[in-house]
Amino acid sequence: MNRLMYAMLLVMTVTLAACSYDFEQGIENGDVINVHGDVYNVAVLQTFLTNVEGKTPDQVRIVEYTNEGDPLLYDLEYDGEKIKVEVDRSEDQYRGSGPVKAEMSCNGIIREERGNEEAFYLLSGCQSGADVVIVKLRRMIN
């Protein structure tokens, strides 16, 4: 069992190392890093959520890695009323023909529980009319 776990960690590390957005540097920068539900720097996300709830301006970068190891960047800036979101998919080699970068404005963030092991953080009240998943949380790491 331990060998399988080490093998999976090695593959994940090699995959992330090949990305143009450096995983370890992102953690050091204080970015919230989401690797298939394993979320690093959860305290940074919690601080942002607390500030949104308290109507205190704040900003956070959330980096989600695709199955292929490509980073998707979500830059959230809260001004005390709305959350301005910039989504950068420029490094996703399988993004299709959609826009590389997009911006939108949302009213808030909600947490949705799904079973005992998963939680989702969704941007709500967005211009697109649909809630946008920004973090799928399976396991918190630091």
Side-chain angles (χ1 to χ4, degrees):
M1 181 77 161
N2 284 339
R3 288 183 182 174
L4 177 61
M5 184 181 223
Y6 289 125
M8 288 175 55
L9 285 172
L10 178 63
V11 169
M12 187 182 306
T13 302
V14 169
T15 300
L16 292 176
C19 295
S20 61
Y21 186 86
D22 185 74
F23 172 79
E24 291 178 7
Q25 186 63 49
I27 291 173
E28 287 180 29
N29 289 345
D31 298 342
V32 177
I33 307 292
N34 183 5
V35 183
H36 312 296
D38 291 346
V39 180
Y40 299 79
N41 287 337
V42 174
V44 174
L45 178 62
Q46 293 298 339
T47 298
F48 181 78
L49 296 172
T50 299
N51 287 336
V52 170
E53 190 175 298
K55 299 201 178 292
T56 303
D58 198 0
Q59 59 187 19
V60 67
R61 171 173 271 183
I62 299 171
V63 182
E64 177 182 3
Y65 286 91
T66 65
N67 290 336
E68 297 79 24
D70 298 333
L72 306 175
L73 307 176
Y74 296 86
D75 290 314
L76 283 62
E77 184 176 343
Y78 180 65
D79 65 6
E81 291 184 27
K82 295 218 178 252
I83 301 170
K84 178 185 166 196
V85 183
E86 182 180 293
V87 181
D88 182 347
R89 294 181 177 96
S90 61
E91 300 297 325
D92 182 5
Q93 60 184 324
Y94 296 105
R95 72 178 168 271
S97 61
V100 173
K101 292 187 179 182
E103 289 186 9
M104 67 180 122
S105 178
C106 301
N107 292 329
I109 297 178
I110 56 176
R111 178 184 168 115
E112 183 178 300
E113 302 285 333
R114 296 188 185 168
N116 293 335
E117 297 182 15
E118 290 185 335
F120 291 80
Y121 289 93
L122 304 105
L123 293 168
S124 62
C126 299
Q127 293 168 325
S128 65
D131 292 343
V132 178
V133 175
I134 54 169
V135 175
K136 175 184 174 186
L137 178 61
R138 182 173 47 89
R139 185 171 57 146
M140 295 183 274
I141 303 172
N142 71 1

